[in-house]
Structure formats: C-alpha cells, structure tokens
Amino acid sequence: MVVLAASIISKSGKALVSRQFVDMSRIRIEGLLAAFPKLVGTGKQHTYVETENVRYVYQPIEGLYLLLITNKQSNILEDLDTLRLLSKLVPEYSPSLDEDGVCKTAFKLIFAFDEAISLGNKENVTVQQVKQYCEMESHEEKVHKLMMQSKINETKDVMKKKASELDKMRMERGKLDKGGYSSISGPRVIEKAFNDMSITGTGFGSGSGLGGLSTDMDSFSSKPKGGRPSAAATAPSKGLGMKLSKTQKTNQFLESLKAEGEVILEDVQPSSVQSRVSPLPPSDPITVTIEEKLNVVVKRDGGVNNFDVQGTLALQVLNDADGFIQLQIENQDVPGLSFKTHPNINKDLFNSQQVVGAKDPNRPFPSGQNETPLVKWRIQGMDESSLPLSVNCWPSVSGSETYVNIEYEAAEMFDLHNVVISIPLPALRNAPSVRQIDGEWKYDSRNSVLEWSIILIDQSNRSGSMEFVVPPADPSTFFPISIGFSASSTFSDLKVTGIRPLKDGNPPKYSQRVRLVTANYQVL
C-alpha cells in the first residue's frame, strides 16, 4: 500500500491540511483535491472513489472531509484501517472540527500524520503511542533541567553568603571608623605607620570587585600617646579590595580607576561626604514652599482637552519655638481659583484676611525636616491662550522619507527652565537625521524617543523649531508628544508677604521658594 497524501479539505475542495508522502508538485495535489468534491455522489454509502490514476478513500467529519489519496494498486482494507486511525487522531489535536480549528492546529496534525504514516506506509501504532511520540518527552532533558536548576539555586546561595559577608565587613569597618583607628582623615588621635601597602582587586571582573573597592591594610601599627599599642589597631583588617599605597605605581593605578569612572575618595572629611549624600539643611528657621503642578492635554489640531492647575503651600519650621506664627499671603485674582485649607487652619481668618494661622493659637506648627502642607488650591476653566508653552508637529511623507517639522511658542508670562520635548518615533535602526534645531537633541534608542531640550526660554527665544527626517511612517506615530519644564513663578502668583509672631519677640527670618512644574503635559 502506498498513501500518496493525507488531507483535510472542506466540502468545496479547499485544502486546509495536506501532507504528501511522495514527491508531488503543489499544482498536482491541489488539482486532485479540487476534483474530489465533483466525484463524490450524494446518497451513496461508498467510502472511496476511483479515477484512472488514483483512489480517494474518505470519511466525512462534520463539515469537512478526511481524505487519503492512494494508488489503485493499494489494499483497500489497509487504506480503511489507516483512515480510521487518522479519524481518531484528528479530534485529539483539533477539538473544534471546523476550518478555523483545523487551521490553528495544522502543524500538530501534520506531525501526527507523520507518526502514523511513514513513506506512504502505515505504521503499527496506536493513538496513545502517536500522542506520546508527538509530546517528545525526554528523561535526559528532565535530568538536564534539574541539574541546571540546582546550579542556579547553588549560585543564589553563594550570592546570599557573599552579601552577608560583605555586610559584616562593612559593619566592622563602621565600628573601626567610629573608634578613629581606620579613619583616613579627621582628628589625629594616634600616630599611624603604614608599611608594605599595595593595590589589589578582588571579586568578579577586573579592577572592581563584587562589593566595590575597599581598604585593606596588610601591616598597620598604631601607637597611642602614652600607652601600649591597641589590639584593634594592630590586628590586620578583614576587608578585601583596594589597599592604600604611597608609591608612584599606586597613584597611577588610582588615576586609571578615575579615568574608567570609579569614584575614589582620597583624604575626604566625613562632613563633606555627608553633604554629598543629603542636601544642605535650610539655613533659615522657617521655609515656605509654593508649588503649582500642571496637568494639560492639548489636541494636535487645536483646542484643549484638559487644563488643570493644582497648587500647594507648605511650611517647614526647624524649631518648636518658631512655630507660633501666622503667615500673611496675597495672590492674583484669577478666574476659577478656589482654595482649600488644612483642617487645623483657621478658615474664617484665612477667608477674611488671607492669613494662614492655626485654630488654636497655643498650638505651634509642626517642626522638623519635613514640610507640612497648609493650603491647597486649584485653577480650572482656562483656555488655550493661557498655555505657557504650545507645540505644533507637522509630519509629511515625501518619497521614501518622512519630514517632521516641530515648533514651539512660549507665552510672555513665564520664563521656562529645563524644557524637554519628547517625540515618539517608529522603530529605527539608526538615529533620525536632524536637519535644523534651536537647542539640543538626544535619541533614546531603547524607547524610540527623540528628546528636544532647551535650557532656558526667555525673551530672546520665545519661539523655536526643529526639523528631522525618518523613514516613511504614519503621522500618528509621532504622538503623543510629552513636554516637561519648570518656572520660578506661578499662575496664582501666591506669595507670603510677612510673618506675624504670636508671642513677644521679633519676627523670625524666613525664606520662600516658588516654582511651577509639569505633572502631565501632552499633545495628543
């Protein structure tokens, strides 16, 4: 018996899945399958049809035909046995016996047909064996995966142990630093003698280890004034990584590390290191922060979807004694401006005299390093003419390129700082070709975004433009455009004009910071 092809076709002769087991051209198999519906008669009980060259052995499956094409010399009984095996396999891999279901599982059906028929001859297999062969479960593969997972788990355990060791080393160094023994700078409590110091690197990679660079002193002797050497000072440190050296070779190595971007702290006072980590504390006993945030959504063809301004007045008092105060404020009368005060603020006093004060005069404002919001406000109902910055984008396709022209116009009321206009781009292999720009640009290839930045927009550059070229793209690809900036003035022009002390004494010194920032500013 030779099976030429096993196919699943529709009632009209459309081939959904067909697997040929002998060399046949596509035109020939398509012709044989297209001719089959014309040969099948209605009301007949036969399951095969013969022509001059081939024999069709078929079985209806709902709205489809499962069809075997064989030569006329094949054994019809074996052909029917093969057909029955395939009819059991089809529902196993295609639960939905329609055109969409068969097409979705076409490759699974072909693999199953290959396991049931080899070189046109039926294999002596069952449905369960075919399913097992197609699943291709391998004991060796399972063992390999288990070994890989065990290696990953072991690596994680090693990483955890290494991290705990590094934490212990840092804690030990911190204790030594507090005692003044391993401090490079600061009060010279002891006389130090450094002998035989060199630079070494440990950990993964070259130069910088897993835990970075640290100090390790091979021989370190200290002599306290008027006493015997300290045990903690004479014991070698357990730190790993960098060892200090006075030699010229050491200095060259440090210079090379600096050139590669490593941060090397040399003879730095602890106070200066602390100032790098945290911002300087306020010098004035009272600081007032006035901030407004913009939420703006502008249509690309003109008009505003959303224009919302939300403001906050926050107070920071360093000492409790300076918390017995009241703030005198003033603001510009802006349409749509509404205020909300903190529940502990005297609302009648605020509404009548614009004074921010506590309900209980004997209760001071909170003190500390954190700011306390006292007043919030919101401005709604503004139109497009009040926008601090307008951006227009004009993409146009010309041949095999898309020319994009973008321009901005800034209002006279604000000087804008650190302006960044982010334009989304289609996926590109290379950066776009920027033909003209007022400012600077940067291409973020990971997010496929072109960032146009202007440090300051003032009277000298209230308008500007940029032109760049990319491959052909849909104009909607360049939207939404996101805009970010800040300003040193606000829409409400709210400010503190004075501070009233509630107790005897001079008014405390104060400073105030005013800023306008963008929370969400987009052109859709």
Side-chain angles (χ1 to χ4, degrees):
M1 179 195 76
V2 177
V3 177
L4 304 180
S7 308
I8 300 177
I9 64 174
S10 64
K11 293 288 187 180
S12 60
K14 177 183 177 182
L16 305 179
V17 175
S18 181
R19 179 69 172 102
Q20 289 72 249
F21 300 99
V22 296
D23 291 336
M24 297 179 65
S25 65
R26 178 175 178 177
I27 296 176
R28 173 165 171 75
I29 187 63
E30 287 180 347
L32 292 173
L33 295 177
F36 171 73
K38 302 176 183 178
L39 301 175
V40 178
T42 59
K44 296 183 180 180
Q45 300 298 324
H46 300 293
T47 57
Y48 69 94
V49 177
E50 290 186 354
T51 64
E52 295 181 359
N53 299 318
V54 296
R55 175 189 297 152
Y56 298 95
V57 183
Y58 64 93
Q59 178 177 334
I61 304 178
E62 295 187 3
L64 308 175
Y65 281 118
L66 175 60
L67 179 64
L68 292 181
I69 302 177
T70 68
N71 56 19
K72 297 181 68 174
Q73 291 76 27
S74 66
N75 190 328
I76 186 64
L77 296 179
E78 293 182 0
D79 294 342
L80 293 174
D81 188 30
T82 304
L83 184 65
R84 280 192 294 269
L85 176 61
L86 297 185
S87 66
K88 294 177 182 178
L89 290 174
V90 171
E92 293 288 338
Y93 293 96
S94 179
S96 178
L97 295 177
D98 54 12
E99 292 189 15
D100 292 337
V102 171
C103 291
K104 289 180 181 178
T105 58
F107 285 101
K108 294 182 179 180
L109 291 171
I110 290 175
F111 295 151
F113 288 177
D114 284 342
E115 296 297 335
I117 302 173
S118 176
L119 299 176
N121 299 305
K122 177 182 176 297
E123 294 286 342
N124 188 18
V125 293
T126 63
V127 175
Q128 294 301 325
Q129 289 175 330
V130 171
K131 291 178 64 177
Q132 182 179 358
Y133 297 157
C134 290
E135 288 174 0
M136 297 173 60
E137 291 188 356
S138 172
H139 177 70
E140 289 78 5
E141 182 183 6
K142 291 181 179 179
V143 172
H144 175 72
K145 288 183 178 180
L146 290 175
M147 293 177 60
M148 292 299 296
Q149 187 62 40
S150 64
K151 290 181 180 180
I152 293 174
N153 295 335
E154 290 177 1
T155 304
K156 290 181 179 179
D157 294 338
V158 173
M159 291 173 61
K160 290 180 181 179
K161 292 180 181 179
K162 191 67 177 178
S164 62
E165 291 177 2
L166 293 174
D167 291 338
K168 290 180 181 178
M169 290 162 50
R170 294 191 187 98
M171 292 176 64
E172 291 177 0
R173 285 200 298 271
K175 291 179 182 179
L176 293 176
D177 291 342
K178 290 181 181 179
Y181 294 108
S182 63
S183 175
I184 300 176
S185 62
R188 302 296 180 181
V189 181
I190 56 177
E191 296 178 359
K192 301 178 181 178
F194 299 92
N195 299 319
D196 190 22
M197 298 181 184
S198 60
I199 299 296
T200 61
T202 62
F204 301 102
S206 61
S208 60
L210 181 64
L213 294 174
S214 60
T215 60
D216 185 15
M217 305 176 183
D218 283 346
S219 66
F220 165 55
S221 63
S222 62
K223 298 179 181 180
K225 295 181 179 180
R228 58 189 180 87
S230 171
T234 57
S237 173
K238 296 181 180 180
L240 299 174
M242 186 182 72
K243 299 181 181 179
L244 301 179
S245 175
K246 296 180 181 179
T247 62
Q248 184 177 3
K249 182 179 180 181
T250 299
N251 294 333
Q252 293 177 354
F253 184 78
L254 292 176
E255 292 297 330
S256 64
L257 286 179
K258 291 179 182 179
E260 294 176 1
E262 295 287 348
V263 178
I264 307 298
L265 299 180
E266 297 178 335
D267 198 19
V268 180
Q269 297 291 340
S271 60
S272 64
V273 175
Q274 182 68 22
S275 65
R276 292 182 184 181
V277 176
S278 60
L280 292 174
S283 58
D284 295 318
I286 296 175
T287 303
V288 180
T289 301
I290 299 170
E291 182 182 75
E292 285 185 350
K293 293 184 178 180
L294 284 174
N295 288 281
V296 177
V297 178
V298 184
K299 300 177 183 178
R300 69 184 73 173
D301 298 327
V304 177
N305 277 350
N306 182 39
F307 193 165
D308 184 27
V309 181
Q310 297 182 5
T312 304
L313 184 148
L315 178 67
Q316 181 183 7
V317 181
L318 296 182
N319 304 315
D320 290 336
D322 297 326
F324 297 95
I325 56 173
Q326 291 180 342
L327 307 179
Q328 178 67 56
I329 67 171
E330 67 177 20
N331 64 277
Q332 187 177 358
D333 188 12
V334 179
L337 175 62
S338 59
F339 287 95
K340 286 185 179 181
T341 59
H342 192 277
N344 294 331
I345 299 298
N346 190 332
K347 294 184 179 180
D348 295 335
L349 184 64
F350 178 81
N351 294 330
S352 60
Q353 303 180 26
Q354 284 193 314
V355 174
V356 180
K359 287 182 179 179
D360 185 2
N362 297 321
R363 182 179 177 183
F365 286 115
S367 61
Q369 295 296 328
N370 297 325
E371 295 181 343
T372 304
L374 303 180
V375 182
K376 293 184 179 182
W377 62 93
R378 191 173 185 178
I379 306 176
Q380 291 180 308
M382 291 189 291
D383 55 12
E384 192 174 3
S385 61
S386 302
L387 290 174
L389 185 67
S390 299
V391 175
N392 294 315
C393 180
W394 303 87
S396 60
V397 179
S398 176
S400 61
E401 294 179 329
T402 299
Y403 292 82
V404 182
N405 292 273
I406 299 180
E407 60 180 1
Y408 73 83
E409 292 184 4
E412 298 285 342
M413 64 183 82
F414 297 109
D415 288 344
L416 307 180
H417 302 268
N418 301 322
V419 180
V420 178
I421 303 173
S422 301
I423 307 102
L425 302 180
L428 303 176
R429 293 184 177 179
N430 301 316
S433 174
V434 178
R435 302 291 179 87
Q436 181 270 330
I437 187 171
D438 294 327
E440 298 179 352
W441 66 278
K442 182 180 71 172
Y443 176 57
D444 183 359
S445 58
R446 176 174 297 180
N447 299 316
S448 191
V449 172
L450 178 63
E451 294 182 354
W452 178 15
S453 58
I454 305 101
I455 297 177
L456 174 64
I457 296 180
D458 54 10
Q459 295 294 338
S460 62
N461 59 343
R462 291 293 178 190
S463 62
S465 61
M466 176 178 66
E467 181 183 7
F468 63 90
V469 180
V470 295
D474 185 31
S476 61
T477 306
F478 306 99
F479 295 92
I481 299 174
S482 300
I483 304 168
F485 57 82
S486 62
S488 57
S489 57
T490 60
F491 280 92
S492 62
D493 199 19
L494 188 144
K495 56 186 176 181
V496 176
T497 58
I499 290 184
R500 304 176 185 175
L502 297 180
K503 294 186 177 181
D504 295 337
N506 296 324
K509 293 182 179 181
Y510 74 95
S511 62
Q512 59 179 327
R513 294 176 291 185
V514 181
R515 60 176 178 261
L516 173 71
V517 297
T518 56
N520 180 39
Y521 203 113
Q522 289 187 334
V523 180
L524 297 180

